[in-house]
Structure formats: C-alpha cells, structure tokens
Amino acid sequence: MPSSPLVTRRRMLAGSGLAVVAAALPPRRTHAASGDTGPDGFRIIRARPGAVKLRGPELSATPIWGYDGTVPGPLLRVKRGQEVKVRLVNDLSEPTVVHWHGLRLPNAMDGVPHLTQEPIAPGRSFDYRFVAPDAGTFWYHTHFRSSGQLGRGLYGALIVDEPEPVAVDRDVLLVLDDWRLSEAGAIDEASFGSAHDAAHAGRLGQYLTVNSLDTLDIPVRTNERLRLRLINAANARVMALRLDRHRAKIMAIDGQPSEPFDARDGRVTLGPGARTDLIVAATLEGGAKAPFVLEYGRGQELLVARLVYDAGPPLRPAPLGPPQPLPPNPLPERMDFVGAFRFEVPMDGGAMSAMMMGGMMGRGMMGPGAAPGAGGIDPRAGLFWALAGRSSTGHDGAPLFQVKRGRTVVLNLPNRTAFPHAMHIHGHHFRLLDRLDDGWKPYWLDTVLIQREQSARIAFVADNPGKWLIHCHMIEHMETGMAAWFEVT
Ligand code: C2O
Ligand code: CU
C-alpha cells in the first residue's frame, strides 16, 4: 500500500493541548457545526455522491457516496439525554435508510428497511428523532443494499458526551475503513455483490484509511492524557491495531463504559461495526513519534496514525495517574438467569462448509432444478449462510423468537463455519458470559466477534419493544443469509 506525506490534522476533535485539563476539552456542540439546521431544529443531511482524496493530497479524488458528500459524514455530537434530530434527504439514485448503530433508541427510528420503516426513495426525506440514552462512541450508517452503499462511504460518527466532562486533554476520533480501489483510485464497483467474497470473508479492501486519510498525525505534548475513539467502519475487515511504546487503557467498548483495563502490549482488535475508547498516557519525550499500526497477514503491519510529540516542554511535570472509570450509562443492573429465555443461534454455511459444498456438488454446482441446501442455504439464490438454521437477509419471514418486554435473553452463538463472524444486535447491549454461566466480562457489547469453531454466550434484558435485527456485521454475510430478527412485545 503506498504511503504519502503525513499531513492533515483537520479531523482532530480538539485544538492544541492547553495547560488546564478542563479548558482543553473539546467544545460541546449540539449536532455538527457545519450544514443547515432547518427552522424546526432538524439537522439536514444529504446522502449524495461526492469525491474524497483517499490516497493522500497529491493523488486524484475517489468518487464516493457520503452523507453531505463526505466520508466520514458530518460528526454528530450531543450530550447524553439530548435529542438527535436529523432529516435525511436522499439525493442518491436508489433508496436508502440510516441505522444508528449501538443506540438504544425507539424501534421506529432504527432504520431497518421493511422492518422498521420503508426505504427512503430518491428525492424523499425521513426525519430521525430520538434521545441519546447513553454517552459514548457510536456511528450511523446505511442499512440498505449495504455492501454497495456502506462500501461507497455512507457512514459517520455520533459522539454522545458524558454529563460531566471527562478529564482528558485531547479527544481524537479515528474512523477506520478499507477500500477496494482500482489503479486509478476508483472504487471497484464490479466486485459489489461478488459471490466469492460473500461466501468467504466478505468484501475486503486493499487500501486502508483513517478518517478518509491515508494516515493521521496526532499532535501531542509530553504528559498529556489522550482519549482515542476507534470505529471500524469497514464492510468486513477485522482490524488488529497496536500502539507502540504507550500504556493504553480500554475505557469503553461499543460505546458503553467498561471497567478500565490495559490494552496488552497496546493491542486492540475491532470487528466490523465495533468501537473501542482508549485513554493513553503520552509519556514520551518531546519530539518523539510513536506509530499506531494495523497488523495483518503474516506479521505485516501498516501505519495507520502516529502520535507526534511537540518538541516543547511537557504539558505538566508528570503524567496523570490511572484514569477513573467513565460514568455509567443507565443499563439494566441485573439479569434474571433463572427465568431467562434461552435460544440457540448457530452460524452455518459459507465456503468450505459441508452444507454449502454438499448442496453445490449434489446438484452439479448450482444447476437448475436443485433444491436449496439445509437451513435454506441456496447458493443459486445467492444465499450462502444461515443463522439458527435459516437463511434470511433479515426482515423477511417470521421472527426468530418473541419475548415479553423485560425478559432476560441468553443466546448461545456457536460458529460452525470456517470464518469469523461479528454478530450484532440492534436496540440492546449485551454481556458476554463466562463459560459456566457464573459471571460475565466487565463490559457491554453490541457486536461480538466469534472466531471459527468458537462460540459465545451472551445475555441481555429485552427491554426495548419492537422488531430488532440480529446479524453478522460482515456486510456480505448479512446480505447472503446471516441475518434474522426478533421481537420484544
Ligand atoms: Cu451497524 Cu444492523 O448494523
Ligand atoms: Cu459473518
């Protein structure tokens, strides 16, 4: 992958590090600073084509689809308990919707085509309006023909600020994506809908960006405390990241505060859709540079960003001590495991699976007249995966299960395929249970990465009425069968 000069700081959330912690916090704004707000207080966002210099400033721009024609789309920022009011205008040539990933919002605002709303036709608009119940790092993205629409750039970040400022000197957003580009820098559109990609790891790009930049320089001063907000916006790539020479604490996962714990050796892994908030003590000497890299393949790495230390004197004589946990969000405090609704949600199919290969070979490689394979997997119909024994793209068919509001739900998610999957649940955050039902990990998730032949058990309180998706966030898996919905009544 080519690398170009490391210049831009324009996506930085905060200004220069100031001497006083409180004064150095980023300004709090309602919604974004740019763009129109209608007289009724709705922030108008247009889904439309645009062009972005993904490969650095000196190479030609790539035609994309983006919110307000940019990637990432406008940064939306509210305080916890405030309303998000967005009027999405569709200036694309095909329908679209916006999903608010990780937001525990009313079902009608969830942005799932046919399940919670009709797709927004070209030239039409839809008003999204909901209270942001939790502080944290979230994102919004298309949920319609997602491989192509998300792959072309229809996503943005939504930051919900804590009720009281968090004691950090600098707050930096890093939205990571991979792009499949031609030599000329155009998005490889011919590969959208590729059956090969869908039946394997999903559509992976070869060109990595952070905030749509080739690389990002993050200016710091010695003894600053940084908050890094990482979002994996890629269609399918699992990102293993490493920050060298620094102590990094994981403070929040998928938007929700965790018990702070060390990112071992500065490493964090994000499946598609996932977020991690880190607090980093910037303890190197003035003038130092520390790489933040993506680890991939066999021992290869790629520069994503750098901490670039100011040559001047330290911000303060010594680094601050370990950070306090972030203030809790109003999540359910207990779960009723005795009365829980328990359900098996195995993942099946994909390349190298008996189900798919058997089906394909038994009828001469998708020949006409062949019956669908087990679980509805039918490569001929473009369905390669199954969830809980059925192959669906989400909104169709009957619910996987129905539960009464307030019930605890325990799902067992065995991955019986040859690929990892990032299972995501709408409208709820869940706990990852320890193996013997005797405890859970000290964090909440909305997306769990499950390696091949591993399983995960998760629990949540079904406290949000409506129809909710559960699907793999490897978008091409979702669109070829690994999706379903459940209903909270
Ligand atoms: Cu990021 Cu169904 O969502
Ligand atoms: Cu998957």
Coordinates of all heavy atoms in Angstrom, one line a residue, residues 195 363 366-367 370-373 376-384 391 393 479-481:
A195 N -20.1 -13.2 -5.4 CA -20.4 -14.4 -4.6 C -19.2 -14.9 -3.9 O -19.3 -15.4 -2.8 CB -21.0 -15.4 -5.6
R363 N -25.9 -31.0 -6.7 CA -26.7 -30.7 -7.9 C -25.8 -30.0 -8.9 O -26.3 -29.1 -9.6 CB -27.8 -29.8 -7.4 CG -27.4 -28.6 -6.7 CD -28.7 -28.0 -6.1 NE -28.4 -27.4 -4.8 CZ -28.2 -26.2 -4.6 NH1 -28.3 -25.3 -5.5 NH2 -28.0 -25.7 -3.4
M366 N -24.8 -25.7 -8.4 CA -25.9 -24.7 -8.6 C -26.7 -24.9 -9.9 O -27.2 -24.0 -10.4 CB -25.4 -23.3 -8.5 CG -24.4 -22.9 -7.5 SD -23.9 -21.2 -7.5 CE -22.4 -21.2 -6.7
G367 N -26.8 -26.1 -10.3 CA -27.5 -26.4 -11.5 C -29.0 -26.1 -11.4 O -29.5 -26.0 -10.2
A370 N -32.2 -27.6 -8.7 CA -31.7 -28.2 -7.5 C -32.5 -27.6 -6.3 O -32.9 -26.4 -6.3 CB -30.2 -27.8 -7.3
A371 N -32.6 -28.4 -5.3 CA -33.3 -27.9 -4.1 C -32.3 -27.2 -3.2 O -31.2 -27.4 -3.2 CB -33.9 -29.1 -3.3
P372 N -32.9 -26.2 -2.4 CA -32.0 -25.5 -1.5 C -31.3 -26.4 -0.5 O -32.0 -27.5 -0.2 CB -32.9 -24.5 -0.8 CG -34.1 -24.4 -1.6 CD -34.2 -25.7 -2.4
G373 N -30.2 -26.1 -0.1 CA -29.5 -27.0 0.9 C -30.1 -26.8 2.3 O -31.1 -26.2 2.4
G376 N -32.0 -23.7 4.3 CA -32.4 -22.7 3.3 C -31.2 -22.2 2.6 O -31.3 -21.3 1.7
I377 N -30.0 -22.7 2.9 CA -28.8 -22.2 2.1 C -29.0 -22.6 0.7 O -29.2 -23.8 0.4 CB -27.5 -22.8 2.7 CG1 -27.2 -22.0 4.0 CG2 -26.4 -22.6 1.8 CD1 -26.0 -22.5 4.7
D378 N -28.9 -21.6 -0.2 CA -29.2 -21.9 -1.6 C -28.3 -21.0 -2.5 O -28.6 -19.9 -2.8 CB -30.7 -21.6 -1.9 CG -31.0 -21.9 -3.4 OD1 -30.1 -22.4 -4.1 OD2 -32.2 -21.6 -3.8
P379 N -27.1 -21.5 -2.8 CA -26.1 -20.7 -3.5 C -26.7 -20.2 -4.8 O -26.4 -19.1 -5.2 CB -25.0 -21.7 -3.8 CG -25.1 -22.7 -2.7 CD -26.5 -22.9 -2.4
R380 N -27.6 -20.9 -5.4 CA -28.2 -20.5 -6.6 C -29.0 -19.2 -6.4 O -29.0 -18.3 -7.3 CB -29.2 -21.6 -7.1 CG -29.4 -21.6 -8.6 CD -30.4 -22.8 -8.9 NE -31.2 -23.0 -7.7 CZ -32.5 -23.4 -7.8 NH1 -33.0 -23.6 -9.0 NH2 -33.2 -23.7 -6.7
A381 N -29.6 -19.1 -5.2 CA -30.3 -17.8 -4.9 C -29.5 -16.8 -4.2 O -29.9 -15.8 -3.7 CB -31.5 -18.2 -4.1
G382 N -28.2 -17.1 -4.2 CA -27.3 -16.1 -3.5 C -27.3 -16.1 -2.0 O -26.9 -15.2 -1.4
L383 N -27.7 -17.3 -1.5 CA -27.7 -17.4 0.0 C -26.7 -18.4 0.4 O -26.8 -19.6 0.1 CB -29.1 -17.8 0.5 CG -30.2 -16.8 0.2 CD1 -31.6 -17.4 0.5 CD2 -30.0 -15.5 1.1
F384 N -25.7 -18.0 1.1 CA -24.5 -18.8 1.4 C -24.4 -19.2 2.9 O -23.6 -20.0 3.3 CB -23.2 -18.1 1.0 CG -23.2 -17.7 -0.4 CD1 -22.8 -16.4 -0.7 CD2 -23.5 -18.6 -1.4 CE1 -22.8 -16.0 -2.1 CE2 -23.5 -18.2 -2.7 CZ -23.1 -16.9 -3.1
S391 N -31.8 -19.3 6.5 CA -31.1 -18.4 5.6 C -32.0 -17.2 5.3 O -33.0 -17.4 4.6 CB -30.6 -19.1 4.4 OG -29.5 -18.6 3.8
T393 N -32.2 -12.6 4.9 CA -31.5 -11.3 4.9 C -32.0 -10.4 5.9 O -31.7 -9.2 5.9 CB -31.5 -10.7 3.5 OG1 -32.9 -10.6 3.0 CG2 -30.8 -11.6 2.5
E479 N -25.9 -10.0 3.9 CA -26.8 -9.9 2.7 C -26.9 -11.2 2.0 O -27.6 -11.3 1.0 CB -26.2 -8.9 1.8 CG -26.3 -7.5 2.4 CD -26.0 -6.4 1.4 OE1 -25.1 -6.5 0.5 OE2 -26.7 -5.3 1.5
T480 N -26.2 -12.3 2.5 CA -26.3 -13.6 1.8 C -26.8 -14.6 2.9 O -26.4 -15.8 2.7 CB -25.0 -14.0 1.1 OG1 -24.0 -14.0 2.1 CG2 -24.7 -13.1 0.0
G481 N -27.6 -14.2 3.8 CA -28.2 -15.2 4.7 C -28.0 -15.1 6.2 O -28.8 -15.7 6.9

